[in-house]
Amino acid sequence: MKFTYFTPLVVAFIACSSPKVHITSPYENKPVMESPDEVNLSPSMIEDAGDLADEFPDESLVYDKIKVVVNFKFNDKYDSTQYYKQYLAENKKADSLARIAKKKTTNSKVPELTEHPIPDGEVLMNTDYEVDYTSIKDFVDEPIVFHYNSMVSIKNIHFKIDNTSATLEKEDKSFDGQTYFKTDSRYKLYKLSLPVRGSQVNYEYTESCRDAKFNSTLYIPEEHFTQKKVIKIALPKYLNFEIIEKNFKGLNYTKDTVEEYPSFGATTEKTKYLVYTFKRLKPFQN
């Protein structure tokens, strides 16, 4: 009797997650995001980032899309005849030029004179930002910075890295005004390290301005190349103002109007928006 032996063919199915790239030292010990120390990047995402790096050799990242929405709200509490009265009543320790002047004596040091704080204006302004960008080089270490001052505050800040909620280390800083002047400019700096090209970052925030006339300029270009940027400006019926376009020559953009319900201010009526859509914006140049 002839026996024929067959070598068994074994097919092993190994359960595995989606492709990931391990973050090597020293980045593996850094708190980059609220997730395990791995980056959810597919090979195609890394390859696409490499193509962008070839197209933009001077860039470390490229903005995929930036959306800016400007809304206004009439300040019902505004009263020009009581311009400072309410603020000083609520802040008894606030500096008063007249009060400081009366305290001048020959034997005591006079406190530095300061201006009155500026109260809320007649029109309030909210600007919502949503930013998406892709790192196109390895080991990109570039902070995210938000500027604000005594009239403009930053709120509702949210970060995502590769579609995962992230918590970034923050620093609050101020400009010292150099030698010749003082300034109320401040900024929040969020540290961010992206070790692998192709990482996708999304962040959202809101600029809340207590008087619209102090925040009336929107810059079109960014620090890096921008694939697409959308700017929507509300045109409420109760507010008359002029939009002045400067240095638009050579830009690739469209301009349209739409009607939507605003997200800022209590109203049941739709508001007309002027919508600018810019494409392939070069970085700003000094």
Side-chain angles (χ1 to χ4, degrees), residues 72-79 86 119-125 210-211 238 264:
F72 303 98
K73 179 182 177 182
F74 182 74
N75 184 9
D76 297 327
K77 298 180 180 179
Y78 178 79
D79 183 357
Q86 181 179 357
D120 294 349
E122 189 172 5
V123 179
L124 309 178
M125 176 179 175
R210 300 192 293 109
D211 193 331
Y238 63 83
F264 177 60

Side-chain angles (χ1 to χ4, degrees), residues 27 29-34 133 141-146 157-161 165-173 187-194:
Y27 285 86
N29 295 322
K30 287 189 175 183
V32 177
M33 62 190 77
E34 291 182 341
Y133 73 76
D141 192 355
E142 183 167 329
I144 298 174
V145 182
F146 303 120
I157 303 174
H158 300 287
F159 298 102
K160 285 186 178 180
I161 302 176
S165 295
T167 299
L168 307 183
E169 182 181 347
K170 183 185 73 170
E171 291 185 21
D172 288 302
K173 293 183 176 291
Y187 59 97
K188 300 177 186 291
L189 185 149
Y190 290 85
K191 297 180 180 180
L192 177 58
S193 297
L194 301 171

